[in-house]
Amino acid sequence: MLARRRLPRLVFDFVDGAAGREIAAAKNISAFDEIELQPRVMQDVSSRNLRTTFLGSEYDCPVGIAPMGMCDLIWHGADRMLARASNRFNAPLCLSSAASCLIEDMLSWTEGRAWFQLYVGQSMDHTLDMVERAKTAGYETLVLTVDVPQVSRRVRDLRNGFEMPFRIGPRQFLDFAAHPKWSLTTLVNGAPSAKNFPTDRGNSGFDRGASRAGADWAFLNRLRDLWPGRLVIKGVTSVADAKRIQSCGADAIYVSNHGGRQLDSAPAAIKLLPAIRTALGPDYPLIFDSGIRSGEDVVKALAFGADFVMLGRPLLFAIGAEGERGLNSLFSIFTEEISLTLAQLGLTRPGEISRDVLINPPASLTEKSTQLHITKSIKRA
Ligand code: FNR
């Protein structure tokens, strides 16, 4: 893989790595390979349209950019590249709390398309300050991530001595020296930092290891009162949690196992999606990520009950491999793959995707919920 060659090992592993033995991360991907779609023939699919309305906005395609901290670590200017891709492909971009650019800048770069992702970090005052900044800047959608009570043991990061700010010992020095293009660019532009944290601890106030367990039920209720816009809860995989979050007044749930970066024994996130769709009903907005690697995967996630899908690691690898050109190609390839997959299934719009396209629909995706889901999808499209 080109990104593996171009990036220092420490940086590549920060993106590619996951919790423990990385079994959950591998399962996220292999679970998609097990899902089979039923081709259909002799339909007029010559005119296809991927436009999707989600959470009150219209997007070119049911795909957005997942929140990822420290993107500028992959390449200087990666945040700007993602913002331009968000505009060019009319896709929402979810800005991480640990972003390497300012909350205010991203909303203006994306012409209002950005959502803001919140971690309840080391200081409640700082957390609430970020919420206030997002509100003042004009963000309409806030995504609270709840699946990182503690950052897990990510063995590759530990092995590589990955720390923010960088600790450069002999091992890291050799790694950087073997990747001079990345190292010189980073040296000239300065090492990225988590820009929305106060800089009172060395280069960055962001404490990557600090507990984020403040994102509890009481905080959710408090945030619901504080945040007038749309509130999305990210990192949910349990039906019981999903139902309780729905009853707390969240506007959408983001089903994700953090790309396998948190609990290595977690099942593939896609396997848990159908039961959540059935439990929450056909109309409740559901976002999905974790293991999406192709346009066909996007179609599979929609068939399993998602309304919208977010891309994670593939975007950063595309930037690591070929910068902005790589990122734009990746978006174009995903869009084309989704469209071509629809054609193979005899469909012309994402709203027509239902469990009927699956060879073996999961039992938890009930007939009733899908019938309603289809009716809703057709109305929406
Ligand atoms: C993440 N993810 C993440 N999630 C979040 O809510 N806030 C964050 O700051 C980050 N940071 C982050 C950094 C990096 C380098 C990665 C790879 C991931 C998780 C991310 O939003 C998403 O859930 C996963 O990336 C989805 O898995 P795949 O599809 O990338 O394997």
Side-chain angles (χ1 to χ4, degrees):
M1 196 198 300
L2 211 50
R4 190 191 290 270
R5 244 190 298 135
R6 298 215 164 140
L7 297 173
R9 182 175 186 153
L10 172 145
V11 173
F12 179 83
D13 281 350
F14 161 63
V15 176
D16 196 43
R21 289 189 291 144
E22 307 190 348
I23 292 168
K27 281 199 286 196
N28 278 343
I29 294 167
S30 62
F32 274 102
D33 296 338
E34 286 164 23
I35 301 171
E36 293 174 317
L37 301 175
Q38 176 63 64
R40 299 298 298 270
V41 296
M42 290 189 284
Q43 308 285 330
D44 179 3
V45 291
S46 50
S47 167
R48 298 181 303 282
N49 185 348
L50 302 185
R51 286 186 89 79
T52 302
T53 300
F54 185 64
L55 294 182
S57 297
E58 198 179 341
Y59 300 108
D60 283 2
C61 169
V63 167
I65 299 170
M68 288 176 285
M70 304 299 301
C71 293
D72 274 12
L73 197 57
I74 316 308
W75 208 261
H76 174 71
D79 283 313
R80 285 304 291 260
M81 295 178 200
L82 288 164
R84 285 192 289 267
S86 160
N87 293 340
R88 180 192 277 241
F89 296 96
N90 183 24
L93 178 156
C94 190
L95 183 76
S96 162
S97 276
S100 34
C101 69
L102 292 175
I103 294 173
E104 294 77 7
D105 285 347
M106 184 53 90
L107 193 69
S108 94
W109 293 343
T110 57
E111 297 164 12
R113 279 184 193 83
W115 305 345
F116 181 62
Q117 176 267 325
L118 184 71
Y119 274 133
V120 181
Q122 58 251 46
S123 143
M124 183 55 81
D125 284 349
H126 176 250
T127 303
L128 296 176
D129 182 54
M130 286 200 291
V131 174
E132 203 46 48
R133 279 175 59 192
K135 201 196 294 181
T136 308
Y139 280 82
E140 290 175 0
T141 302
L142 182 67
V143 176
L144 173 69
T145 297
V146 293
D147 60 356
V148 188
Q150 289 290 155
V151 173
S152 275
R153 276 176 62 84
R154 299 184 188 152
V155 176
R156 290 199 235 178
D157 287 349
L158 295 171
R159 199 175 47 210
N160 295 332
F162 178 84
E163 279 177 21
M164 289 306 300
F166 285 144
R167 183 174 51 82
I168 304 185
R171 188 187 176 118
Q172 292 79 16
F173 183 80
L174 287 176
D175 189 11
F176 294 157
H179 299 89
K181 197 168 168 207
W182 180 93
S183 302
L184 285 174
T185 313
T186 305
L187 196 68
V188 169
N189 296 290
S193 62
K195 279 269 168 35
N196 296 295
F197 282 73
T199 50
D200 53 358
R201 301 174 59 257
N203 284 335
S204 162
F206 181 54
D207 179 355
R208 195 164 169 251
S211 168
R212 302 177 202 174
D216 60 11
W217 295 104
F219 183 76
L220 169 55
N221 289 325
R222 184 171 177 193
L223 191 61
R224 182 62 291 184
D225 290 342
L226 276 178
W227 182 257
R230 293 190 184 86
L231 182 60
V232 179
I233 309 302
K234 174 175 187 278
V236 180
T237 54
S238 131
V239 167
D241 287 340
K243 282 168 124 174
R244 187 162 170 193
I245 289 166
Q246 184 185 33
S247 71
C248 289
D251 297 290
I253 286 177
Y254 188 149
V255 175
S256 163
N257 67 10
H258 219 99
R261 289 163 83 82
Q262 284 300 104
L263 179 65
D264 200 22
S265 302
I270 189 65
K271 289 200 168 169
L272 303 167
L273 176 61
I276 293 179
R277 162 55 67 207
T278 299
L280 301 189
D283 293 326
Y284 193 77
L286 283 182
I287 307 171
F288 177 83
D289 80 21
S290 292
I292 299 281
R293 296 294 180 268
S294 71
E296 286 197 20
D297 291 347
V298 172
V299 171
K300 290 173 183 179
L302 297 179
F304 267 47
D307 295 301
F308 212 81
V309 171
M310 305 293 267
L311 302 182
R313 290 180 178 96
L315 300 170
L316 299 187
F317 290 142
I319 293 174
E322 287 197 86
E324 192 152 5
R325 196 154 56 94
L327 180 63
N328 289 335
S329 314
L330 186 93
F331 255 102
S332 302
I333 291 168
F334 262 85
T335 309
E336 192 185 357
E337 283 179 351
I338 296 169
S339 178
L340 294 175
T341 307
L342 287 182
Q344 290 300 317
L345 301 177
L347 307 175
T348 58
R349 289 168 299 163
E352 294 168 355
I353 297 168
S354 72
R355 77 173 220 161
D356 289 356
V357 305
L358 300 167
I359 298 268
N360 282 314
S364 54
L365 203 58
T366 62
E367 294 275 3
K368 190 164 162 254
S369 103
T370 347
Q371 265 328 107
L372 290 165
H373 187 59
I374 301 166
T375 319
K376 176 195 77 166
S377 301
I378 289 171
K379 264 198 251 141
R380 203 180 46 210

